[in-house]
Amino acid sequence: MPDLLLELFSEEIPARMQRKAGEDLKKLVTDALVERGLVYEGAKAFATPRRLALHIAGLPVRGRDVREERKGPRVGAPDAAVQGFLKAAGLTSLDQATIVSDPKKGDSYVAIIEKPGQETAAAIAEIVPAVIRSFPWPKSMRWGKASAAGASLRWVRPLHSILCTFGAAEVEDPEVVPFEVDGIVSGNVIHGHRFHAPGPITVKRLDDYVTSLEKAKVVLDADRRKEIILTDARNLAFAQGLDLVEDEGLLEEVAGLVEWPVVLMGSFEERFLDIPGEAIRATIRANQKCFVLRDPATGTIANRFILVSNLAASDGGVAITAGNGRVVRARLSDAAYFWQTDRGALPDLDTLKDSAEKLGLDLAKPLDQRMAKLDKLGVVFHAKLGTQGERVQRIAALARELAPIVGADPEKAERAAKLAKADLPTEMVGEFPELQGLMGRKYAELQGEDASVAAAVEEHYKPLGPSDRVPSDPVSVAVALADKLDTLVGFWAIDEKPTGSKDPYALRRAALGVIRLVVENGVRVDLRRWLQYLMNGFEFAALAKPRWATVDKLHSTIRSSLDETGQPASEWVKAKAIEQLLRVSETLSADRTEELIAQAVAASEPKAADLLSFFHDRLKVMLRDQGARHDLVDAVLGEGASANDDLLLITLRVAALGRFLDTEDGRNLLAGYKRAANILKAEEKKDGEGAFAAAPDLHLIADAGLIEEKALAVALAQATPKAEAAVAAEDYEGAMAALAEIRPAVDAFFDKVTVNDPDPALRANRLKLLNQLRQATRAVADFDRIAG
């Protein structure tokens, strides 16, 4: 069967667009072919800096003929209906229609429409120009004289030529599919490497197309270019006794910059190795798209780099390497200046005293100076959430409060939080934003900060995704939790929540980060209470409009009573907030303060509940990704299950429930529960909701004389308190074991006992017994939500 070969040859396509453009080309063309009934055996797209190519194998020569019967109006129908039928069917008179008789509906007209299949080449000639003219480039341009009129072709870069051939493998010369796009006529001619083989080359089909390009110094397949680059780079590094610092993102980008990859090694002066290795790598990567090398003996960056040229130079790449070396040295000189400047004192220290005093900073230390500078500049975090300086105050206060919960030193947690954003105004982070946090750690270590404090400055951003490392140092955990909780609560307070696929503030990632920090570090935290507490601060600020410092103090001075779990969250928050604001507020009376706090608590409750639900949704996603059944997560979080706002305990319950249901006892108990629940639902519709909520009459059970009924009552009486006690003690395996004790009695009950007994008293009593079974399982989870 014939194959299609298509190439769109242009000026250099940006590397970041190439792979998706190739896939878009394949999808657009193949979808259009399939819509016309032209199915194919396989398709593959290719992309280089100067061309997009597509090969589609196993296309038919022409589409299948189509025969369609279109039913029309009844014989004798009004003329308007008949004329509409003729027009829709493409007929000129009723003589071209057939009359079909139906015993019930009578005679009616039917049009037999036969359409011959379209020639595939003709379809391609229509499809490809349309795809080219409407191609979804992220950015595109017009060029040449025609661009002045504004109606010329738009393409990512000027399009020069189009190759389009169609034919079977056994045909000597496949046909050129003729069409024209903006003056560019399709043909069978391609062009090779810009410098090594710029002349025209005639090709026929895929095999000689790939071979011809290879001879013309073009490697068509991007993955093969990546393989060449990686292999040669490793070999060059090995020859020098070094290791390549691999970078998949950079490798993908570089493979999109060259058609004929030539891997070379350059060097720079050893004096630049005084710069942190991460900064060297960022400099060389960002500015020159080069790879760095590591000394395997020390694990530090070596004064060598790997560059990829698009040219096999006659001098072996000496001039190319030298030119890249000059640029690398210039860029490293800039980095060395940034590194030195950031470690020195700021020239305007006298203007930073107020900020330093407010934040408790030591202006003798360079990193403290930068934090004071950040506050002094009033850099806005968000228009409705204050400045970065104000946010740091909130995070520091919250980190101090969270420290005892995660096992961290409160002083260290607060200190780390105050320095967490201090590297943002540094020269190095200004030039390389991806180094934020990491450079803060470097500068913190240089000024003698505690190791945990320095680590937290870097690690408080983590985890950045589902595969990123979760910090384990308690100080890092405290600051990371404070940072993410402040972000989430703040944006929820101003109603800036994620919608659909849009999440501009990465709140889903922040919530997942909180979950992983809590779960993977075994942290016990009553999330509902903390969300309510933090939300209340933002709501009070919106109502009373005090200085942000007042809200900061509201957070920072609540240190005790976090274990007063007997109080509802709203009452606890209200009590502590009133207690504090009566001390710190200078402008509000006690009555007015209490009134505003009450309003804030009322406003914050639904928002905190909504945010907690968001956390539960993220937890479901995480557990499902880890292999947990979605219905088990719903069962543990379901309304029928006992309320639990401890994320760690939720995960433990889901895991224990999954293990239980994998056993024979678990499966059989679930089946018995489902049967009981279905009977209860049916009977409650007759007798009313809650009709069987009372405890069963044990005397009536005894009088009935059924051993199986007595056994179930006894089993429930013994197992229910065991399960409840085990759940209270957070022994979920024990709770499951207690439920397992019920299973034999449930099986026997349904085997021997008639629930809907003719005697109304026995019927009601047995339904009450089944309701006890339902309530016993809900101590662990809502079994109604479990599939099966």
Side-chain angles (χ1 to χ4, degrees), residues 542-563:
L543 287 168
K545 303 189 187 309
R547 289 175 53 84
W548 275 94
T550 303
V551 182
D552 298 332
K553 291 177 183 177
L554 170 63
H555 289 169
S556 66
T557 58
I558 299 178
R559 298 281 185 266
S560 60
S561 302
L562 295 180
D563 58 346

Side-chain angles (χ1 to χ4, degrees), residues 385-404:
L385 297 175
T387 65
Q388 285 283 13
E390 292 164 343
R391 182 166 183 261
V392 165
Q393 285 182 275
R394 298 197 302 271
I395 294 172
L398 181 54
R400 185 182 184 95
E401 293 180 70
L402 291 171

Side-chain angles (χ1 to χ4, degrees), residues 318-588:
V318 173
I320 295 172
T321 303
N324 276 268
R326 284 194 295 273
V327 177
V328 165
R329 283 189 285 276
R331 298 299 188 186
L332 288 177
S333 295
D334 292 341
Y337 169 77
F338 298 150
W339 174 238
Q340 181 178 5
T341 301
D342 288 340
R343 291 179 293 162
L346 291 172
D348 54 350
L349 284 181
D350 290 343
T351 67
L352 306 178
K353 291 181 180 178
D354 290 343
S355 292
E357 182 179 353
K358 178 173 62 177
L359 292 168
L361 299 171
D362 183 356
L363 287 183
K365 298 181 176 181
L367 196 58
D368 291 60
Q369 296 174 20
R370 271 69 186 176
M371 185 59 241
K373 182 76 171 180
L374 184 66
D375 180 71
K376 174 70 176 178
L377 292 172
V379 177
V380 175
F381 169 66
H382 187 281
K384 295 181 181 180
L385 297 175
T387 65
Q388 285 283 13
E390 292 164 343
R391 182 166 183 261
V392 165
Q393 285 182 275
R394 298 197 302 271
I395 294 172
L398 181 54
R400 185 182 184 95
E401 293 180 70
L402 291 171
I405 297 176
V406 302
D409 183 307
E411 297 292 337
K412 292 180 181 179
E414 184 176 15
R415 174 64 176 165
K418 288 179 179 179
L419 297 179
K421 310 297 181 183
D423 64 349
L424 294 180
T426 62
E427 300 284 347
M428 193 70 84
V429 173
E431 182 71 13
F432 304 109
E434 66 270 24
L435 295 181
Q436 67 183 32
L438 189 146
M439 294 311 302
R441 178 176 189 162
K442 298 285 184 184
Y443 297 137
E445 289 171 343
L446 285 173
Q447 69 179 31
E449 297 294 336
D450 181 88
S452 292
V453 171
V457 172
E458 177 186 4
E459 294 179 340
H460 81 282
Y461 290 107
K462 294 181 176 294
L464 292 175
S467 59
D468 193 22
R469 179 180 64 84
V470 174
S472 56
D473 185 290
V475 176
S476 297
V477 173
V479 181
L481 282 173
D483 181 47
K484 292 169 176 59
L485 286 173
D486 179 83
T487 298
L488 286 158
V489 174
F491 281 108
W492 241 257
I494 62 174
D495 200 27
E496 289 280 359
K497 300 180 288 187
T499 56
S501 60
K502 294 183 179 180
D503 187 9
Y505 303 111
L507 300 181
R508 291 187 179 93
R509 187 176 71 185
L512 180 60
V514 170
I515 293 168
R516 291 189 64 203
L517 284 163
V518 168
V519 172
E520 295 183 29
N521 285 292
V523 174
R524 301 291 309 281
V525 57
D526 185 341
L527 194 58
R528 183 187 298 271
R529 180 177 294 250
W530 280 92
L531 295 181
Q532 172 84 48
Y533 159 48
L534 297 173
M535 191 73 71
N536 190 74
F538 285 101
E539 290 300 323
F540 181 80
L543 287 168
K545 303 189 187 309
R547 289 175 53 84
W548 275 94
T550 303
V551 182
D552 298 332
K553 291 177 183 177
L554 170 63
H555 289 169
S556 66
T557 58
I558 299 178
R559 298 281 185 266
S560 60
S561 302
L562 295 180
D563 58 346
E564 296 172 9
T565 54
Q567 277 188 314
S570 59
E571 292 302 315
W572 175 80
V573 171
K574 181 178 178 180
K576 303 313 294 181
I578 291 175
E579 173 188 323
Q580 168 54 22
L581 286 171
L582 288 175
R583 293 200 301 269
V584 302
S585 177
E586 300 174 355
T587 60
L588 299 172

